[in-house]
């Protein structure tokens, strides 16, 4: 049913099945990449249910994605925005739709789990998915930076610490396409900006203000992507690599930095 919920690549350029697979592969990488001797990696701080929740979150985030932003849904007075009071609209809708499917005994993969496990899974999934709203990006980054400045973070015994790690890891998976090898990055970049432009076309069609970076008539794709990399991606990935230094080479040195330089050349 998750697969059926994805629109075709012609309808939704970026947030589809491919991006979901990319996110899940990134989570797998973060869990499997061995840390340096004497250091700890992500799985050392998370329980098995925590790890499963991250994988499942990747599917829920893109479930039934309409190919537009929450901001568009709110300003166009979309029924989903009205229902969820303009707050993390897609995230709340996706969670509700997902748990509605799980009411079907043929789809409820947790029906043989105990009540505490089911309740913990639901609570963590809701927290992680709602935090993925881009409006929460800088708030979550600030919380994470404050946490890593403390000597006792992460404390595996503290649920809140594990939730922070889960949330930032899933958020990293969402933007990790900017750190992929250059050829893959360029393809994802085209999909990313084309989805923005498709939203801008729709905004012009229905007569509402075109959102930032969504007007194909005036926006430079390369400059738009550079802005996204520098303002949104770099501070977040840098903070993550400050905690898990063993992923810095792959994500920043051989990924982000090369892609940023390539975009700078194109934008000249």
């Amino acid at each position: 049913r998750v697969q059926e919920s994805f629109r075709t690549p012609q309808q939704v350029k970026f947030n589809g099945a491919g991006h979901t697979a990319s996110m899940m592969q990134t989570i797998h990488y973060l869990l499997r990449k061995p840390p340096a001797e004497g250091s700890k990696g992500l799985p050392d701080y998370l329980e098995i249910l925590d790890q499963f929740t991250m994988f499942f979150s990747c599917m829920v985030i893109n479930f039934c994605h309409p190919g537009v932003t929450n901001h568009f849904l709110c300003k166009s007075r979309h029924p989903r925005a009205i229902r969820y009071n303009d707050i993390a609209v897609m995230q709340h809708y996706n969670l509700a739709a997902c748990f509605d499917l799980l009411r079907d005994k043929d789809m409820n993969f947790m029906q043989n789990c105990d009540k505490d496990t089911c309740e913990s899974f639901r609570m963590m999934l809701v927290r992680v998915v709602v935090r993925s709203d881009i409006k929460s990006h800088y708030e979550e980054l600030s919380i994470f930076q404050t946490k890593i400045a403390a000597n006792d973070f992460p404390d595996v015994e503290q649920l809140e610490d594990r939730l922070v790690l889960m949330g930032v890891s899933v958020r990293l998976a969402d933007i990790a396409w900017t750190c992929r090898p250059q050829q893959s990055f360029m393809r994802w970049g085209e999909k990313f900006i084309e989805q923005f432009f498709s939203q801008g076309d729709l905004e012009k069609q229905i007569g509402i203000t075109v959102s930032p970076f969504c007007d194909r008539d005036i926006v430079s794709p390369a400059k738009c992507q550079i802005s996204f990399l520098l303002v949104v991606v770099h501070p977040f990935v840098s903070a993550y690599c400050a905690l898990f230094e063993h992923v810095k080479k792959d994500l920043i040195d051989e990924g982000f930095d090369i892609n940023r330089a390539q975009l700078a050349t194109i934008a000249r």
Side-chain angles (χ1 to χ4, degrees):
R1 292 295 294 274
V2 173
Q3 182 67 35
E4 292 174 359
S5 78
F6 295 127
R7 298 188 181 185
T8 66
Q10 290 72 34
Q11 295 171 311
V12 176
K13 311 294 182 182
F14 185 82
N15 292 100
H19 184 55
T20 299
S22 175
M23 289 181 65
M24 296 180 75
Q25 189 275 332
T26 300
I27 294 296
H28 179 265
Y29 162 80
L30 295 174
L31 291 171
R32 298 294 294 176
K33 177 72 173 180
E37 186 175 353
S39 301
K40 291 185 177 181
L42 182 61
D44 295 310
Y45 299 109
L46 300 178
E47 299 177 358
I48 294 299
L49 184 60
D50 303 339
Q51 297 177 31
F52 174 75
T53 301
M54 289 195 299
F55 281 110
F56 202 81
S57 297
C58 295
M59 291 192 294
V60 174
I61 285 171
N62 293 292
F63 184 65
C64 298
H65 201 290
V68 294
T69 62
N70 277 335
H71 180 60
F72 173 88
L73 296 177
C74 294
K75 69 180 181 179
S76 65
R77 308 313 304 143
H78 191 279
R80 295 184 189 178
I82 295 173
R83 175 179 296 178
Y84 297 107
N85 300 310
D86 296 347
I87 300 173
V89 177
M90 281 187 285
Q91 289 74 22
H92 282 121
Y93 174 84
N94 293 358
L95 284 163
C98 171
F99 283 114
D100 188 55
L101 286 177
L102 291 180
R103 294 170 62 188
D104 185 336
K105 65 179 182 180
D106 292 331
M107 296 184 185
N108 186 1
F109 55 86
M110 299 195 74
Q111 59 183 320
N112 294 322
C113 295
D114 60 76
K115 182 179 179 181
D116 288 344
T117 299
C118 293
E119 290 182 351
S120 294
F121 170 69
R122 174 178 167 79
M123 179 275 297
M124 292 191 296
L125 185 67
V126 170
R127 292 282 296 275
V128 171
V129 171
V130 170
R131 284 177 169 180
S132 70
D133 183 7
I134 190 62
K135 286 184 67 175
S136 303
H137 180 86
Y138 294 107
E139 179 184 354
E140 295 300 318
L141 175 58
S142 177
I143 292 172
F144 183 51
Q145 290 173 326
T146 301
K147 286 281 190 180
I148 60 179
N151 295 328
D152 59 348
F153 178 81
D155 183 348
V156 295
E157 300 299 325
Q158 296 296 321
L159 174 61
E160 189 58 36
D161 280 7
R162 302 205 317 270
L163 283 168
V164 169
L165 273 186
M166 293 161 62
V168 296
S169 296
V170 170
R171 186 178 295 275
L172 176 65
D174 192 25
I175 59 177
W177 62 271
T178 61
C179 304
R180 291 193 175 276
Q182 189 172 113
Q183 187 175 6
S184 177
F185 162 73
M186 296 302 291
R187 290 199 301 268
W188 278 115
E190 291 175 2
K191 296 175 183 292
F192 177 75
I193 198 66
E194 184 55 37
Q195 183 165 298
F196 270 20
F197 286 165
S198 295
Q199 175 176 313
D201 295 341
L202 181 57
E203 288 168 331
K204 292 177 183 178
Q205 181 180 340
I206 63 178
I208 60 177
T209 304
V210 178
S211 300
F213 306 117
C214 292
D215 193 336
R216 69 172 72 244
D217 295 326
I218 61 175
V219 172
S220 164
K223 291 181 179 179
C224 175
Q225 290 182 58
I226 288 177
S227 298
F228 180 74
L229 263 64
L230 294 178
V231 176
V232 176
V233 178
H234 187 259
F236 199 89
V237 177
S238 296
Y240 197 91
C241 291
L243 181 62
F244 298 115
E245 296 183 1
H246 62 289
V247 300
K248 179 178 180 293
K249 180 180 178 182
D250 292 338
L251 295 181
I252 296 181
D253 299 342
E254 297 180 358
F256 178 90
D257 286 346
I258 294 174
N259 295 332
R260 179 178 59 180
Q262 175 65 17
L263 280 179
T265 301
I266 296 173
R268 289 175 184 168

